PDB file of all heavy atoms in Angstrom:
ATOM      1  N   ALA A 394     104.414 121.982 135.822  1.00 87.00           N
ATOM      2  CA  ALA A 394     103.109 121.641 134.936  1.00 87.00           C
ATOM      3  C   ALA A 394     102.467 120.430 135.508  1.00 87.00           C
ATOM      4  O   ALA A 394     101.237 120.366 135.610  1.00 87.00           O
ATOM      5  CB  ALA A 394     103.469 121.705 133.592  1.00 87.00           C
ATOM      6  N   VAL A 395     103.222 119.365 135.728  1.00 86.00           N
ATOM      7  CA  VAL A 395     102.646 117.980 136.199  1.00 86.00           C
ATOM      8  C   VAL A 395     102.006 118.179 137.482  1.00 86.00           C
ATOM      9  O   VAL A 395     100.956 117.705 137.784  1.00 86.00           O
ATOM     10  CB  VAL A 395     103.711 116.977 136.013  1.00 86.00           C
ATOM     11  CG1 VAL A 395     103.156 115.687 136.703  1.00 86.00           C
ATOM     12  CG2 VAL A 395     104.058 116.651 134.576  1.00 86.00           C
ATOM     13  N   ILE A 396     102.728 118.859 138.391  1.00 84.00           N
ATOM     14  CA  ILE A 396     102.113 119.087 139.731  1.00 84.00           C
ATOM     15  C   ILE A 396     100.853 119.847 139.612  1.00 84.00           C
ATOM     16  O   ILE A 396      99.852 119.462 140.320  1.00 84.00           O
ATOM     17  CB  ILE A 396     103.178 119.842 140.681  1.00 84.00           C
ATOM     18  CG1 ILE A 396     104.290 118.960 141.006  1.00 84.00           C
ATOM     19  CG2 ILE A 396     102.332 120.239 141.974  1.00 84.00           C
ATOM     20  CD1 ILE A 396     105.494 119.649 141.701  1.00 84.00           C
ATOM     21  N   GLY A 397     100.751 120.823 138.821  1.00 83.00           N
ATOM     22  CA  GLY A 397      99.527 121.652 138.737  1.00 83.00           C
ATOM     23  C   GLY A 397      98.438 120.852 137.968  1.00 83.00           C
ATOM     24  O   GLY A 397      97.348 120.793 138.399  1.00 83.00           O
ATOM     25  N   LEU A 398      98.840 120.042 136.900  1.00 79.00           N
ATOM     26  CA  LEU A 398      97.765 119.297 136.140  1.00 79.00           C
ATOM     27  C   LEU A 398      97.288 118.115 136.948  1.00 79.00           C
ATOM     28  O   LEU A 398      96.107 117.815 136.916  1.00 79.00           O
ATOM     29  CB  LEU A 398      98.294 118.813 134.840  1.00 79.00           C
ATOM     30  CG  LEU A 398      98.615 119.999 133.707  1.00 79.00           C
ATOM     31  CD1 LEU A 398      99.324 119.397 132.589  1.00 79.00           C
ATOM     32  CD2 LEU A 398      97.180 120.488 133.306  1.00 79.00           C
ATOM     33  N   ALA A 399      98.285 117.349 137.547  1.00 76.00           N
ATOM     34  CA  ALA A 399      97.897 116.210 138.165  1.00 76.00           C
ATOM     35  C   ALA A 399      97.320 116.392 139.595  1.00 76.00           C
ATOM     36  O   ALA A 399      96.505 115.638 140.082  1.00 76.00           O
ATOM     37  CB  ALA A 399      99.131 115.285 138.222  1.00 76.00           C
ATOM     38  N   GLY A 400      97.775 117.455 140.314  1.00 71.00           N
ATOM     39  CA  GLY A 400      97.388 117.717 141.686  1.00 71.00           C
ATOM     40  C   GLY A 400      96.266 118.480 141.906  1.00 71.00           C
ATOM     41  O   GLY A 400      95.528 118.394 142.974  1.00 71.00           O
ATOM     42  N   SER A 401      95.943 119.435 140.999  1.00 76.00           N
ATOM     43  CA  SER A 401      94.870 120.511 141.393  1.00 76.00           C
ATOM     44  C   SER A 401      93.495 119.840 141.379  1.00 76.00           C
ATOM     45  O   SER A 401      92.758 120.164 142.388  1.00 76.00           O
ATOM     46  CB  SER A 401      94.965 121.551 140.227  1.00 76.00           C
ATOM     47  OG  SER A 401      94.749 121.038 138.968  1.00 76.00           O
ATOM     48  N   TYR A 402      93.093 118.975 140.480  1.00 70.00           N
ATOM     49  CA  TYR A 402      91.818 118.482 140.511  1.00 70.00           C
ATOM     50  C   TYR A 402      91.593 117.481 141.787  1.00 70.00           C
ATOM     51  O   TYR A 402      90.557 117.625 142.497  1.00 70.00           O
ATOM     52  CB  TYR A 402      91.469 117.774 139.202  1.00 70.00           C
ATOM     53  CG  TYR A 402      90.118 117.091 139.172  1.00 70.00           C
ATOM     54  CD1 TYR A 402      88.955 117.869 139.136  1.00 70.00           C
ATOM     55  CD2 TYR A 402      89.964 115.636 139.358  1.00 70.00           C
ATOM     56  CE1 TYR A 402      87.683 117.223 139.222  1.00 70.00           C
ATOM     57  CE2 TYR A 402      88.703 115.074 139.315  1.00 70.00           C
ATOM     58  CZ  TYR A 402      87.597 115.861 139.265  1.00 70.00           C
ATOM     59  OH  TYR A 402      86.345 115.118 139.297  1.00 70.00           O
ATOM     60  N   PRO A 403      92.434 116.553 141.948  1.00 70.00           N
ATOM     61  CA  PRO A 403      92.220 115.759 143.180  1.00 70.00           C
ATOM     62  C   PRO A 403      92.231 116.559 144.464  1.00 70.00           C
ATOM     63  O   PRO A 403      91.380 116.086 145.287  1.00 70.00           O
ATOM     64  CB  PRO A 403      93.381 114.657 143.106  1.00 70.00           C
ATOM     65  CG  PRO A 403      93.805 114.644 141.742  1.00 70.00           C
ATOM     66  CD  PRO A 403      93.532 116.034 141.166  1.00 70.00           C
ATOM     67  N   ALA A 404      93.109 117.508 144.514  1.00 65.00           N
ATOM     68  CA  ALA A 404      93.108 118.361 145.796  1.00 65.00           C
ATOM     69  C   ALA A 404      91.741 119.012 145.980  1.00 65.00           C
ATOM     70  O   ALA A 404      91.222 119.119 147.030  1.00 65.00           O
ATOM     71  CB  ALA A 404      94.264 119.237 145.717  1.00 65.00           C
ATOM     72  N   ALA A 405      91.246 119.558 144.833  1.00 67.00           N
ATOM     73  CA  ALA A 405      90.063 120.281 144.899  1.00 67.00           C
ATOM     74  C   ALA A 405      88.828 119.401 145.363  1.00 67.00           C
ATOM     75  O   ALA A 405      88.029 119.734 146.143  1.00 67.00           O
ATOM     76  CB  ALA A 405      89.756 120.989 143.563  1.00 67.00           C
ATOM     77  N   VAL A 406      88.886 118.123 144.792  1.00 65.00           N
ATOM     78  CA  VAL A 406      87.799 117.163 145.076  1.00 65.00           C
ATOM     79  C   VAL A 406      87.927 116.807 146.542  1.00 65.00           C
ATOM     80  O   VAL A 406      86.760 116.899 147.280  1.00 65.00           O
ATOM     81  CB  VAL A 406      87.887 115.951 144.046  1.00 65.00           C
ATOM     82  CG1 VAL A 406      86.904 114.910 144.521  1.00 65.00           C
ATOM     83  CG2 VAL A 406      87.549 116.354 142.667  1.00 65.00           C
ATOM     84  N   LEU A 407      89.122 116.381 147.009  1.00 62.00           N
ATOM     85  CA  LEU A 407      89.240 115.773 148.331  1.00 62.00           C
ATOM     86  C   LEU A 407      88.934 116.952 149.375  1.00 62.00           C
ATOM     87  O   LEU A 407      88.244 116.615 150.339  1.00 62.00           O
ATOM     88  CB  LEU A 407      90.533 115.221 148.499  1.00 62.00           C
ATOM     89  CG  LEU A 407      90.845 113.877 147.698  1.00 62.00           C
ATOM     90  CD1 LEU A 407      92.312 113.590 147.733  1.00 62.00           C
ATOM     91  CD2 LEU A 407      90.020 112.792 148.236  1.00 62.00           C
ATOM     92  N   SER A 408      89.412 118.146 149.172  1.00 60.00           N
ATOM     93  CA  SER A 408      89.238 119.190 150.116  1.00 60.00           C
ATOM     94  C   SER A 408      87.869 119.727 150.207  1.00 60.00           C
ATOM     95  O   SER A 408      87.440 120.394 151.153  1.00 60.00           O
ATOM     96  CB  SER A 408      90.234 120.251 149.854  1.00 60.00           C
ATOM     97  OG  SER A 408      90.024 120.882 148.504  1.00 60.00           O
ATOM     98  N   GLY A 409      87.052 119.428 149.133  1.00 59.00           N
ATOM     99  CA  GLY A 409      85.778 119.925 149.018  1.00 59.00           C
ATOM    100  C   GLY A 409      84.721 119.030 149.626  1.00 59.00           C
ATOM    101  O   GLY A 409      83.570 119.291 149.717  1.00 59.00           O
ATOM    102  N   PHE A 410      85.142 117.979 150.179  1.00 55.00           N
ATOM    103  CA  PHE A 410      84.067 116.959 150.898  1.00 55.00           C
ATOM    104  C   PHE A 410      83.441 117.704 152.091  1.00 55.00           C
ATOM    105  O   PHE A 410      84.125 118.342 152.836  1.00 55.00           O
ATOM    106  CB  PHE A 410      84.803 115.727 151.407  1.00 55.00           C
ATOM    107  CG  PHE A 410      85.194 114.768 150.308  1.00 55.00           C
ATOM    108  CD1 PHE A 410      86.097 113.749 150.529  1.00 55.00           C
ATOM    109  CD2 PHE A 410      84.611 114.759 149.009  1.00 55.00           C
ATOM    110  CE1 PHE A 410      86.499 112.910 149.543  1.00 55.00           C
ATOM    111  CE2 PHE A 410      84.985 113.921 148.054  1.00 55.00           C
ATOM    112  CZ  PHE A 410      85.915 112.988 148.331  1.00 55.00           C
ATOM    113  N   SER A 411      82.162 117.334 152.247  1.00 57.00           N
ATOM    114  CA  SER A 411      81.445 117.834 153.449  1.00 57.00           C
ATOM    115  C   SER A 411      81.822 116.978 154.601  1.00 57.00           C
ATOM    116  O   SER A 411      81.813 115.752 154.499  1.00 57.00           O
ATOM    117  CB  SER A 411      79.860 117.738 153.154  1.00 57.00           C
ATOM    118  OG  SER A 411      79.228 117.831 154.473  1.00 57.00           O
ATOM    119  N   PRO A 412      82.242 117.541 155.734  1.00 57.00           N
ATOM    120  CA  PRO A 412      82.708 116.732 156.959  1.00 57.00           C
ATOM    121  C   PRO A 412      81.628 115.830 157.375  1.00 57.00           C
ATOM    122  O   PRO A 412      81.857 114.703 157.777  1.00 57.00           O
ATOM    123  CB  PRO A 412      83.120 117.710 157.865  1.00 57.00           C
ATOM    124  CG  PRO A 412      82.526 119.035 157.467  1.00 57.00           C
ATOM    125  CD  PRO A 412      82.359 118.967 156.093  1.00 57.00           C
TER     126      PRO A 412
END
Side-chain angles (χ1 to χ4, degrees):
V395 171
I396 291 173
L398 288 172
S401 56
Y402 175 70
V406 170
L407 290 169
S408 63
F410 286 163
S411 165

